[in-house]
Amino acid sequence: MELSLGIDEQCVFSGKTGRCCDEVEPGRRFCFWHDPEADKSTADVKVRLEKRARTGRPMEGFLLIKANLEGVNLVNHDGSTAYRLIHSDLSRASLHNAHLFRLDLSGSRLFKADLSHANLHRANLEGCNLLGVKLRDCSLDHINWGDQLYQEAQAVACPEKAVSIYEEAEESARNIRRQCERLGMISVAGDFYYREKVYERRQMPKYSLKRCFSWLVDVVSGYGESPQKVIGCSLALILLCSFAYLCTGVLDNGAVVRFDQNQTLGENLIYWLDCLYFSIVTFTTLGYGDLTPLGLSRVVAAFEAFSGSFSLALFVVLFVKKIIR
């Protein structure tokens, strides 16, 4: 068992990657870094942490709550491998003006930590709890934020508390988005704006009209951040309406163009191509007049024409928005 090593031999802490601490703390079960009762607010903590990092030994599960780490330098200048301070608790720690280039902080808790004026260039923040973190004038270039924020993963694992957790996720995404906007990192800011809106939607009552409308805006435009989605939805609508025209029929110089089970596959394919052409000119509101809707196809054509004019305008707005950025 882990505790069989004895309190005078080494710290009994065991991390997610297994035993990762071989420091001795005579008379105590935990070493300084894993001791929840040790005072980490003293000025020498920064020097001790820098010295520990240079040893190359694992730094996992460190308890650095309210630690005074202002100006700490955790950049590995001598090696190609960055330092790792993973699954640690840096809640309310002072990391003002810290040098954290390429530092791996994955899985760490940075709740209300002060990272103002810190250099986080290329740092790994995947799975970090970033709720309330202070990022004023912090360098955030090329950070690995992970596919989802910490709270999003928590909401999936704990659905009964999902609403309150998504509220925290929304706050975290908004905080990062605002700082990225100040730094001119518009692409990253757009990504976190999208996440913010998704988290906001997931707080709404399931199947409510407001949530359904929010979902539709996401599907159609990615909350105004994805011209590609507008193109995809437009193509899908054109194809869907072409099959609707094939079933309901359109007029071609007095002749009805419609699916006919008595015709060959090749002839029905030609009918569908005619309907596809009619769908395209209807969507783009060109209206050449060579083909006209018939019966129920008029309803489909009216809906497609309205959707087409809206989609084209929306695409132009989003495309110009991306270009200007």
Side-chain angles (χ1 to χ4, degrees):
M1 294 178 63
E2 300 287 353
L3 298 180
S4 63
L5 295 170
I7 61 174
D8 291 329
E9 295 183 15
Q10 69 181 62
C11 173
V12 300
F13 173 80
S14 183
K16 294 184 178 182
T17 59
R19 176 165 291 282
C20 58
C21 184
D22 55 3
E23 287 198 11
V24 176
E25 191 76 13
R28 303 186 68 89
R29 296 178 65 247
F30 296 101
C31 70
F32 173 77
W33 303 112
H34 297 114
D35 190 349
E37 298 179 359
D39 183 12
K40 310 290 174 51
S41 61
T42 57
D44 68 324
V45 173
K46 178 185 75 170
V47 177
R48 293 182 62 174
L49 185 61
E50 290 173 344
K51 183 178 179 180
R52 169 60 190 265
R54 288 192 293 269
T55 65
R57 302 206 304 275
M59 295 188 294
E60 180 180 357
F62 281 19
L63 298 179
L64 296 168
I65 302 171
K66 297 182 179 180
N68 181 9
L69 299 173
E70 185 172 345
V72 66
N73 188 338
L74 294 178
V75 182
N76 188 3
H77 298 283
D78 301 325
S80 58
T81 304
Y83 291 142
R84 303 180 70 207
L85 183 59
I86 60 175
H87 304 298
S88 299
D89 193 344
L90 292 102
S91 299
R92 303 180 187 274
S94 175
L95 290 157
H96 175 77
N97 205 31
H99 304 281
L100 309 175
F101 174 73
R102 293 177 60 208
L103 180 65
D104 186 356
L105 284 162
S106 58
S108 294
R109 180 177 171 85
L110 293 168
F111 175 73
K112 292 191 176 181
D114 183 4
L115 285 164
S116 57
H117 297 278
N119 179 10
L120 280 168
H121 185 66
R122 295 190 180 278
N124 183 7
L125 299 183
E126 184 175 6
C128 287
N129 185 346
L130 300 170
L131 181 64
V133 64
K134 299 176 183 177
L135 297 171
R136 187 74 179 181
D137 296 324
C138 180
S139 175
L140 302 174
D141 297 291
H142 305 292
I143 285 180
N144 177 19
W145 300 101
D147 295 331
Q148 55 182 202
L149 294 184
Y150 168 81
Q151 285 84 2
E152 183 177 358
Q154 291 294 108
V156 173
C158 190
E160 64 275 7
K161 298 181 180 179
V163 173
S164 60
I165 296 176
Y166 276 127
E167 186 177 356
E168 294 179 356
E170 181 188 358
E171 183 181 337
S172 298
R174 184 184 299 112
N175 182 30
I176 297 170
R177 187 255 302 171
R178 287 174 175 171
Q179 180 57 26
C180 290
E181 287 175 344
R182 293 191 190 101
L183 296 173
M185 300 170 58
I186 304 302
S187 178
V188 180
D191 175 54
F192 276 96
Y193 174 76
Y194 174 77
R195 298 193 196 197
E196 180 184 341
K197 299 302 291 183
V198 170
Y199 300 147
E200 180 185 8
R201 183 183 78 222
R202 291 176 180 173
Q203 297 171 53
M204 301 174 186
K206 203 170 185 180
Y207 307 120
S208 66
L209 183 61
K210 190 175 181 180
R211 179 164 178 166
C212 291
F213 179 75
S214 179
W215 172 82
L216 181 62
V217 174
D218 183 8
V219 171
V220 172
S221 66
Y223 293 109
E225 295 296 328
S226 179
Q228 298 89 335
K229 284 192 175 183
V230 179
I231 295 174
C233 288
S234 300
L235 293 176
L237 180 62
I238 289 172
L239 286 174
L240 182 63
C241 289
S242 70
F243 287 110
Y245 297 136
L246 185 63
C247 295
T248 57
V250 295
L251 285 176
D252 182 7
N253 294 323
V256 178
V257 178
R258 180 187 293 158
F259 173 78
D260 189 345
Q261 60 182 0
N262 295 321
Q263 300 294 331
T264 64
L265 178 63
E267 290 174 327
N268 281 314
L269 179 61
I270 293 174
Y271 294 160
W272 175 72
L273 290 175
D274 287 338
C275 291
L276 179 62
Y277 161 76
F278 177 69
S279 182
I280 293 173
V281 297
T282 301
F283 182 86
T284 56
T285 65
L286 290 174
Y288 289 122
D290 49 348
L291 295 173
T292 56
L294 174 68
L296 289 176
S297 61
R298 295 175 179 176
V299 178
V300 180
F303 172 76
E304 185 178 17
F306 173 80
S307 301
S309 59
F310 175 80
S311 298
L312 292 173
L314 179 62
F315 173 76
V316 171
V317 170
L318 298 190
F319 182 75
V320 172
K321 177 183 174 183
K322 289 288 184 181
I323 295 298
I324 292 176
R325 282 178 171 181

